[in-house]
Amino acid sequence: MQASQKHSTSAGIHIYHHQPVQGIDPYNHYQILQSNSCHDIHDSSSQGTNVSFEASKEQYYTLDSSPAINGLIGCDSPSCASVSSNRSPFSPQNSQSYYSDQHQSSDNTYGSPISGCSSAEDSYELKNKLRELEITLLGPEPDIADSSLGWMDNVLVKMVSVAGDPIQRLGAYMLEGLRARFESSGSLIYKALKCEQPTSKDLMTYMHVLYQICPYWKFAYISANVVIGEAMQNEARIHIIDFQIAQGTQWFLLIQALARRPGGPPFVSVTGVDDSQSNHARGGGLHIVGKKLSEYANSLGVPFEFHSAAMCGSEVELENLVIRPGEALAVNFPYVLHHMPDESVSTENHRDRLLRLVKSLSPKVVTLVEQESNTNTSPFFQRFVETLNYYSAMFECIDVARPRDDKQRISAEQHCVARDIVNMIACEGPERVERHELLGKWRSRFSMAGFAPCPMSSSVMAAVRSLLSEFNENYRVEQRDGALYLGWKNRAMATSSAWTCY
């Protein structure tokens, strides 16, 4: 095993960022099963994609049409006092914020499980208050802060809960992000959150909860693995550069598939790019990933070596990558490129620099999976609304998988999702690391770097449909313009695409 080491640096907080190896079955995602059919997905130039699917015989409620939900297990109401910016705001007893959606109708009758906000009328009032706040956010920011802080502290904070329904939970974190922004303490809170992390064991548990109850990372792993497997089917030496290696879970799947290749497996080399957050979640460096992958490959008779690049993706240079003549190269970008600062943040523009670097390596295929959301260069108000719309769907899909009072679910949302939300709302400049772009923008970047889209095969679609058969019926997958869109109800949540050199 060879390694190329460099000191670890943080790349920020990543949604569903690290996936644990333990408890994950690497063998069951290549069978072809039928799934629900689906139809068109329409791109948007300013906000996330809306998805239009066949109507199901079942009735699925949206955030607007849900009946009142009563009899839910309660949670302590959040304090009405303001939250100090020098500590983590995300304990269940002290988290306060709000939810809004400019597209929702006024007939929502969500009930609330928290004391003092348990009736449909209270939820109706909450939505009206949030609409008023949206209108306020269109004004100059100093005026917004002066007029909104007291109102948020005295009114909205009483209507939200980290143990409530999806609106109330998202609202808690959005409100905290707004408070941090208005008090110009966004960066302080975000840095405090990164320092006040749970133990490695606890963080791994929280991430594993999300990995199991939501398909987003499995969607990334399976779609990319099938693409890479097809591109490399006749190659004797394969080298994969993974710009977000995390726990290395993805490559257990691929190694198992390559071990069954007729005529014997190829020689496989994996280079893992890392950062300090992944290191903390693992409880150690990349040698842990390399050891597990090597042992697994050896048990299947697959020749294998592992190289480490212990740095965030924006720091990677050619000398950090061990490239050998005769290797067929694949490069994997799973939910990581949106963390690279672009031209709007730095003249170095690491987002496009990294793509040009990869192009210079002449890879046989590049796989990209990203959230289908637009929060990179949008003005604050548009970014605020987009964050609300996207994460309302995210909290809905988590909600159907775990009970409202599930402590692990609450902790997973706080430690793996909420910090992303605060970062997008409260921070600006280099400190705002959550900078998502729609697939249309990624197409432009890849094209300018010298890549052409590589259409997904029917095998990729079949593998993803097989995966989704294990999850809630509201998940949908659609192939459009050669890429796959993973959606929740009518909202596209993530895209998977593949690219080759011109």
Side-chain angles (χ1 to χ4, degrees):
M1 189 185 306
Q2 300 181 4
S4 173
Q5 295 279 6
K6 193 173 181 179
H7 290 298
S8 169
T9 57
S10 173
I13 306 300
H14 313 317
I15 182 168
Y16 301 144
H17 181 72
H18 322 282
Q19 306 312 328
V21 171
Q22 60 267 31
I24 296 173
D25 180 5
Y27 309 109
N28 62 356
H29 292 309
Y30 278 94
Q31 68 270 32
I32 297 176
L33 299 177
Q34 281 294 358
S35 182
N36 295 331
S37 61
C38 48
H39 291 297
D40 297 335
I41 297 178
H42 305 288
D43 282 328
S44 169
S45 60
S46 60
Q47 292 190 342
T49 308
N50 288 326
V51 188
S52 176
F53 297 102
E54 275 186 358
S56 170
K57 294 180 181 179
E58 301 269 354
Q59 180 180 7
Y60 301 120
Y61 293 110
T62 66
L63 288 175
D64 284 326
S65 62
S66 299
I69 302 174
N70 298 310
L72 298 176
I73 297 175
C75 174
D76 291 341
S77 298
S79 167
C80 297
S82 63
V83 178
S84 172
S85 63
N86 62 0
R87 62 177 175 81
S88 171
F90 296 124
S91 64
Q93 293 78 20
N94 294 308
S95 239
Q96 300 121 16
S97 269
Y98 81 91
Y99 169 83
S100 167
D101 184 350
Q102 67 174 356
H103 302 297
Q104 304 300 334
S105 63
S106 60
D107 60 353
N108 184 12
T109 55
Y110 255 94
S112 166
I114 64 174
S115 173
C117 188
S118 59
S119 68
E121 288 79 8
D122 289 329
S123 291
Y124 178 82
E125 180 184 1
L126 172 58
K127 294 201 73 176
N128 283 335
K129 296 293 184 185
L130 298 177
R131 288 193 182 91
E132 293 177 26
L133 183 58
E134 279 190 0
I135 294 172
T136 304
L137 292 178
L138 287 170
E141 195 151 320
D143 297 341
I144 296 172
D146 293 340
S147 62
S148 300
L149 272 174
W151 186 43
M152 288 191 297
D153 287 341
N154 297 322
V155 179
L156 294 179
V157 77
K158 302 175 184 179
M159 299 181 174
V160 299
S161 167
V162 296
D165 60 35
I167 292 177
Q168 293 167 325
R169 302 204 308 270
L170 175 59
Y173 304 125
M174 293 293 293
L175 186 58
E176 196 57 54
L178 277 176
R179 159 169 281 283
R181 183 182 184 88
F182 292 161
E183 293 181 345
S184 300
S185 59
S187 61
L188 295 176
I189 285 185
Y190 190 61
K191 290 175 182 176
L193 290 174
K194 290 167 67 176
C195 294
E196 298 176 16
Q197 297 184 93
T199 65
S200 297
K201 181 179 179 181
D202 287 342
L203 182 58
M204 185 70 76
T205 298
Y206 304 149
M207 293 185 297
H208 187 64
V209 167
L210 293 179
Y211 182 89
Q212 293 289 29
I213 67 177
C214 298
Y216 300 110
W217 272 100
K218 292 181 181 180
F219 167 73
Y221 291 170
I222 292 168
S223 60
N225 279 358
V226 177
V227 169
I228 293 172
E230 290 177 340
M232 302 295 182
Q233 59 183 345
N234 296 318
E235 300 294 341
R237 297 185 66 90
I238 298 172
H239 185 179
I240 300 166
I241 301 175
D242 188 350
F243 275 86
Q244 187 53 71
I245 189 71
Q247 315 308 317
T249 304
Q250 176 172 357
W251 309 119
F252 287 82
L253 296 167
L254 186 60
I255 290 170
Q256 193 270 341
L258 293 173
R260 298 196 302 262
R261 179 191 282 187
F267 184 94
V268 179
S269 176
V270 172
T271 295
V273 179
D274 198 26
D275 58 46
S276 60
Q277 184 75 2
S278 297
N279 189 297
H280 174 73
R282 280 192 306 269
L286 280 172
H287 67 278
I288 297 174
V289 177
K291 183 174 184 292
K292 289 181 178 179
L293 287 173
S294 295
E295 290 175 349
Y296 185 70
N298 291 337
S299 72
L300 296 176
V302 177
F304 181 85
E305 67 179 14
F306 182 81
H307 307 275
S308 63
M311 63 195 72
C312 65
S314 62
E315 296 179 321
V316 172
E317 301 285 352
L318 181 60
E319 56 265 27
N320 305 126
L321 306 172
V322 182
I323 308 297
R324 294 172 177 160
E327 293 178 327
L329 181 64
V331 177
N332 188 46
F333 289 113
Y335 299 114
V336 66
L337 270 183
H338 72 270
H339 290 116
M340 304 300 111
D342 71 346
E343 66 277 7
S344 68
V345 180
S346 167
T347 56
E348 294 178 296
N349 188 4
H350 290 294
R351 191 169 300 197
D352 291 334
R353 180 195 68 81
L354 195 58
L355 291 180
R356 292 193 296 270
L357 171 62
V358 169
K359 173 61 168 58
S360 72
L361 304 177
S362 301
K364 193 163 187 181
V365 69
V366 178
T367 52
L368 171 72
V369 180
E370 280 291 348
Q371 293 164 249
E372 183 68 356
S373 183
N374 183 18
T375 61
N376 182 20
T377 57
S378 302
F380 172 64
F381 175 74
Q382 284 81 3
R383 185 168 79 243
F384 173 83
V385 173
E386 172 73 347
T387 301
L388 286 168
N389 291 339
Y390 185 89
Y391 282 94
S392 65
M394 181 67 70
F395 277 78
E396 270 195 3
C397 68
I398 295 174
D399 195 62
V400 302
R402 283 291 181 103
R404 297 273 171 84
D405 64 331
D406 188 298
K407 292 182 179 179
Q408 284 193 338
R409 192 272 306 156
I410 294 173
S411 295
E413 288 180 346
Q414 291 171 345
H415 293 290
C416 302
V417 182
R419 285 177 289 186
D420 292 0
I421 296 171
V422 171
N423 182 259
M424 283 183 278
I425 298 302
C427 299
E428 293 293 350
E431 290 173 334
R432 180 158 64 85
V433 297
E434 298 299 326
R435 292 178 170 272
H436 308 104
E437 293 183 318
L438 300 175
L439 181 56
K441 181 62 176 179
W442 291 119
R443 283 196 181 103
S444 297
R445 291 190 185 277
F446 272 77
S447 177
M448 288 188 294
F451 292 99
C454 178
M456 298 282 189
S457 71
S458 60
S459 297
V460 185
M461 171 65 89
V464 173
R465 283 183 171 173
S466 174
L467 165 70
L468 294 186
S469 69
E470 303 171 10
F471 290 89
N472 187 275
E473 302 92 334
N474 283 312
Y475 287 107
R476 303 286 190 268
V477 62
E478 172 66 32
Q479 185 166 1
R480 181 169 182 267
D481 296 333
L484 292 187
Y485 288 73
L486 175 62
W488 170 259
K489 297 182 180 177
N490 289 333
R491 170 80 199 210
M493 301 296 289
T495 60
S496 179
S497 57
W499 305 86
T500 57
C501 297
Y502 279 125

